[in-house]
Each structure stands twice: as structure tokens, then as C-alpha cells.
Amino acid sequence: MTYVRTYVRRLALVCALGALGVGAAACGGGGGSTGHPGRGKVSASVSATPSRPPTLAPGPAGLTPVFKSAPHPRDRTVALTFDADMTADEGPRAAAGEHFDNPALIATLRRLKVPATVFMTGRWAEQYPAEAKSIGSDPLFEVANHSYSHYAFTGACYGLPTMPPARMRSDVERAFTAFRKAGVKRTVPYFRFPGGCYDKEVLRKLIPAGVTAVQWDVVSGDAFATDSAAVAQQVLDGVRPGSVVVMHCTRSAAPATEAAVRAVVPRLRERGYRFVRVSELIRSAAGHQSAVGGPDYGGSHG
């Protein structure tokens, strides 16, 4: 895959320069933020140089592996993930003033020092290249693939247009290309299905793409929600050590997300949780194949 070849070349260059960092980084996990209740101070641990992003071993019959949550977390870790959705044919809506980005949300994550994984569509990166580059250059964040077009990879997926099977792999690779053109540096080889919809056949078709599919175990319910308190409570009720929370980075479709994050972060820190990127959870779970999707081949945002 083009992405893998490019990544290997970059890694070889880093090695040649003797600049490999010690410890984990935004694209390789190991970073996070630790709350210190009562001390009024929050620190975020990140590395300046990205290491090789961890991936899972292939699933049954060599299928693309699916990660949902860390099965045996060492401590109270949780990954907030944000889908930057935009379908290939929504350009006219953006031109008419609809906002598919959410700068206030990203600013809040930075202010609160919350590491996060942004699952970005290639079309979103093309629409907001400066924002994509900024997110992808910040060691707090890592950028993962949410397809180029945000078309569904299965039928009957929340009314999304359906991706022809012959174009699935190229659509994923096209998104990685869009990230590179936008200047996104911290890209990880993870993929989230639009709408969360997938099946066994789709996992087979994406084998050549070399990605780890990432789902979730906590649905925030922020899509089209206007009650931030309800969204926050749903997250707080669902989080367990090692959880992956699915949220959105789209003002028009998820207007309550930023306020919900402001409510969720301090509450989870009070409970002793540490925020991490998905790569850290995958690194900790790489040896546990119970994290890989087995007989359950379906998923959705709910």
C-alpha cells in the first residue's frame, strides 16, 4: 500500500538521522494526560518524535483486525475519538456555509490537554486543509482514516450512499493521499468504517490496505444531539478502563460535542482516568486477540 511504503521510507530516514525518540509518541501511543485533583494542574505526556504506530495481528482467516476496546488495561485509560465526517458530495453545502469542522472543540481539547484520535475523511481534509494540518502536527493528536468519501461500506447504513466493493481499498488509500497533501504528519494506519457499518466480506476486501479497523465500546450519542448534558452523562455512564468513546468533530451534525467534552473531562479525571490516543490502547492490547472482532461482524454509531 502506498501509505505503508511512505511510512517505511519516513521511518528509515529518521533512523538514518539518529533521531528516534525514547518512549511513545502521538502516532505510537504511550502519551496521555493525567489529572491531579486538588492540585489544579494537568500535564500531558507526549514525545516529540513519532514511533512506529502499533497494529493488531490479522483476525480470523487473515481478515482485517477490529479493535473495540482494550481488554486488559493496566490502569484507568480511556480514548476519546472524534469523527471528522464529510461525504464526497457535500462540497456545495460547505460552500453555502455549512460547517463540517469544529475549531472550538479542538481548542478545548488543547486547553484541557486531552490527547485524542481524529478519524478524518479525505474530503474533510481537502475542505479544511489548514485545520487538518494543524491537528496532524500537534503531538496531542493522531489522525486516522475515516475513508475518503464517507460512503457506507455495507448496504443499509443510516442512509449513507454505498461504496462499490471494487472501490473500497482505493477509497481508503485516497484518504491517506489527501492527508499527505494537506500536510498531516501524525497519521496512523487505523480505519473507521463510515457509520460504523461493516461485515466479514468488507474486512476481507481491506486486507491489502494493511489497516487496523477501530470501532468503540461507548457511543456518546452526540450525533445531531443538542443536549450536551445528556451526551456527557451517556459517556460517563458507559466508560470503563480501556474504553474507546466515539464522538464527532462536525459543528453542523454534532453541535453539543464541545460542551459535552468540557463536562466529561474533569469528571473522568476525578475518577482517576487518564486520556490516551487509540494507539496507546492498541499497543497495550496487541498481545490479546480478544480485542479483535470475532463472530460479531457488524457495528454502528447507534
Side-chain angles (χ1 to χ4, degrees):
M1 187 184 66
T2 302
Y3 166 78
V4 174
R5 291 195 299 269
T6 301
Y7 182 83
V8 171
R9 287 197 297 268
R10 288 178 179 173
L11 185 60
L13 178 59
V14 170
C15 293
L17 294 175
L20 283 176
V22 178
C27 291
S33 60
T34 305
H36 301 282
R39 297 198 301 190
K41 181 181 179 182
V42 175
S43 62
S45 174
V46 294
S47 170
T49 305
S51 60
R52 184 176 181 83
T55 55
L56 292 179
L63 297 180
T64 297
V66 180
F67 178 80
K68 298 178 181 178
S69 64
H72 304 289
R74 297 177 180 176
D75 55 5
R76 287 176 173 261
T77 52
V78 58
L80 299 185
T81 69
F82 298 90
D83 292 358
D85 297 348
M86 187 173 183
T87 61
D89 53 2
E90 286 177 338
R93 289 167 56 180
E98 183 170 349
H99 296 286
F100 295 91
D101 63 341
N102 195 337
L105 170 62
I106 299 301
T108 293
L109 293 171
R110 285 171 167 151
R111 178 174 59 82
L112 297 177
K113 297 181 172 62
V114 178
T117 303
V118 178
F119 286 85
M120 190 180 294
T121 66
R123 184 64 187 86
W124 194 99
E126 290 179 348
Q127 185 69 35
Y128 305 106
E131 292 182 53
K133 181 178 181 180
S134 176
I135 293 169
S137 299
D138 192 327
L140 268 181
F141 308 128
E142 61 190 8
V143 174
N145 195 313
H146 196 31
S147 80
Y148 173 81
S149 62
H150 203 258
Y151 284 18
F153 281 51
T154 66
C157 183
Y158 301 103
L160 290 173
T162 303
M163 172 68 58
R167 287 173 45 195
M168 290 178 180
R169 176 186 173 185
S170 62
D171 187 81
V172 173
E173 294 178 344
R174 187 179 179 186
F176 281 126
T177 298
F179 301 161
R180 288 194 297 273
K181 288 182 177 179
V184 176
K185 296 179 180 179
R186 297 177 177 273
T187 307
V188 287
Y190 309 147
F191 176 73
R192 175 166 285 168
F193 291 96
C197 304
Y198 69 96
D199 55 27
K200 190 173 183 179
E201 184 57 32
V202 169
L203 294 179
R204 180 176 291 109
K205 288 193 175 297
L206 288 189
I207 291 173
V211 295
T212 292
V214 175
Q215 294 291 95
W216 55 83
D217 66 319
V218 179
V219 177
S220 69
D222 68 337
F224 305 105
T226 56
D227 187 344
S228 63
V231 173
Q233 193 59 53
Q234 186 156 319
V235 173
L236 293 169
D237 289 344
V239 166
R240 301 291 183 271
S243 281
V244 175
V245 182
V246 60
M247 305 184 86
H248 293 81
C249 185
T250 313
R251 266 183 287 176
S252 61
T257 304
E258 188 272 335
V261 167
R262 282 191 276 114
V264 163
V265 169
R267 293 281 299 279
L268 287 180
R269 281 178 169 152
E270 288 173 359
R271 297 179 186 179
Y273 277 92
R274 179 170 63 92
F275 294 96
V276 299
R277 294 168 291 274
V278 166
S279 55
E280 180 168 332
L281 292 185
I282 290 180
R283 187 180 299 280
S284 69
H288 300 280
Q289 289 306 300
S290 58
V292 178
D296 178 12
Y297 289 105
S300 68
H301 280 317

